[in-house]
């Protein structure tokens, strides 16, 4: 299934794709280290749990641990492949947009989480020396252009 099928309504889909960008970028940036850490955890000796409870010996405990780690690595690789597919779909459309449209979308959707929507609109209005209503219009126009670039 293509990544584009996740986003059906183009306007809302463009917004959803923008909101997914940071998560996908983080997956791409951290997956290699997570896989290395998982393999290192398999090759190291586990320590005894000091919880005071008697432990029943598990003769296949090592095998279970290796199998669980390999499943985790497979999940990391699948998640990485999905993030890579998303980036291969999203970045060309992002590159088609004008610099002003990218700045508006970046300011409105990709800014830090602690920035309120009002501050984002104010930043756009101040940048272009326009009123708030015009800033919302610029945002809507940029989202429509991104939707057109993503979905044709």
């Amino acid at each position: 299934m293509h990544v584009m099928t996740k986003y059906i309504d183009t306007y809302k889909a463009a917004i959803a794709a923008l909101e997914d960008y940071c998560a996908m970028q983080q997956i791409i940036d951290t997956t290699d280290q997570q896989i290395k850490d998982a393999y290192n955890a398999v090759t190291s000796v586990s320590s005894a749990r000091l919880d005071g409870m008697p432990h029943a010996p598990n003769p296949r405990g090592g095998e279970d641990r290796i199998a669980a780690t390999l499943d985790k690595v497979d999940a990391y690789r699948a998640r990485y492949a999905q993030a890579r597919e998303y980036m291969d779909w999203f970045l060309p459309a992002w590159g088609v947009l004008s610099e002003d449209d990218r700045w508006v979308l970046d300011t409105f959707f990709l800014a830090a989480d602690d920035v309120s929507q009002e501050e984002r609109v104010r930043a756009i209005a101040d940048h272009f020396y326009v009123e708030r209503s015009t800033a919302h219009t610029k945002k809507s126009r940029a989202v429509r252009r991104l939707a057109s670039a993503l979905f044709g």
Side-chain angles (χ1 to χ4, degrees):
M1 180 167 74
H2 192 269
V3 68
M4 191 168 64
T5 59
K6 180 179 175 186
Y7 310 102
I8 299 299
D9 177 16
T10 58
Y11 186 84
K12 290 180 182 177
I15 292 171
L18 280 166
E19 292 171 347
D20 288 348
Y21 178 80
C22 293
M24 297 299 174
Q25 187 63 46
Q26 183 197 19
I27 289 169
I28 289 173
D29 292 343
T30 61
T31 298
D32 288 338
Q33 187 60 43
Q34 289 173 332
I35 290 173
K36 287 177 188 175
D37 292 345
Y39 278 130
N40 287 339
V42 167
T43 59
S44 65
V45 177
S46 63
S47 60
R49 290 181 295 179
L50 301 175
D51 56 6
M53 298 296 295
H55 299 295
N58 182 357
R60 295 193 343 218
E63 294 171 12
D64 292 344
R65 190 168 142 227
I66 291 171
T69 300
L70 292 177
D71 289 343
K72 190 184 300 185
V73 168
D74 288 343
Y76 287 148
R77 287 188 176 146
R79 190 176 71 169
Y80 180 83
Q82 182 182 10
R84 192 77 256 154
E85 182 181 3
Y86 167 87
M87 287 298 189
D88 291 343
W89 169 70
F90 182 82
L91 290 178
W94 185 256
V96 169
L97 297 176
S98 70
E99 191 169 326
D100 285 344
D101 286 342
R102 284 194 304 260
W103 189 87
V104 167
L105 294 173
D106 185 47
T107 301
F108 200 83
F109 293 103
L110 303 178
D113 290 336
D114 61 342
V115 179
S116 70
Q117 184 175 353
E118 179 63 32
E119 291 172 10
R120 295 170 195 218
V121 171
R122 191 177 314 121
I124 293 169
D126 291 346
H127 181 76
F128 293 107
Y129 302 107
V130 295
E131 294 179 359
R132 286 180 30 163
S133 61
T134 306
H136 279 289
T137 304
K138 283 190 168 293
K139 185 241 343 163
S140 296
R141 230 181 263 142
V143 170
R144 280 195 301 275
R145 288 180 183 138
L146 178 63
S148 175
L150 288 171
F151 303 104

